Amino acid sequence: MAANGHRAAPEHTHPDEVTVANALAALADPVRGTLVRELAGSADWTRTCGSFDVPVGKAALSHHFTVLRAAGLVEQRDEGARRVNRLRRAEFDARFPGLLDLVLRGD
């Protein structure tokens, strides 16, 4: 938490700054894959961090979102006490054409 009692805004990495190795590593984890698939099927900014059905605790979930932000896959913003998410689909697809489609297909 920041000194004013509010948590710090999340830091984001733009997909243009991400290597393909980092992108693949982020997408290789099954929990992160679930998060990305669920975000892909949801409208932007409609999913809170706690709305995902994944078998990890709050601290581990926070870590997974940190990895996804660092890989340029997810953007987060705070709306009151809630943190909402969006998949950075267009930006990521521009950087790695077709990669997200392959992951989402699950082949």
Side-chain angles (χ1 to χ4, degrees):
M1 292 244 176
N4 62 5
H6 298 301
R7 63 182 165 185
E11 293 186 24
H12 298 93
T13 302
H14 193 278
D16 287 347
E17 302 169 14
V18 177
T19 65
V20 71
N22 286 345
L24 290 171
L27 289 165
D29 182 88
V31 170
R32 290 192 290 271
T34 297
L35 296 173
V36 168
R37 278 190 298 283
E38 288 191 26
L39 280 172
S42 305
D44 288 355
W45 309 119
T46 60
R47 299 293 301 270
T48 63
C49 292
S51 71
F52 296 89
D53 186 21
V54 290
V56 296
K58 192 173 181 178
L61 185 60
S62 178
H63 168 73
H64 286 299
F65 275 112
T66 298
V67 171
L68 291 173
R69 283 195 321 267
L73 282 154
V74 170
E75 186 176 8
Q76 297 179 304
R77 71 179 183 205
D78 292 334
E79 291 182 353
R82 303 172 352 134
R83 181 161 282 176
V84 292
N85 304 277
R86 82 169 183 98
L87 183 63
R88 298 178 78 172
R89 182 75 187 249
E91 301 100 303
F92 195 83
D93 284 347
R95 173 76 169 125
F96 303 110
L99 179 59
L100 208 46
D101 287 334
L102 287 172
V103 171
L104 294 173
R105 276 201 335 238
D107 291 350

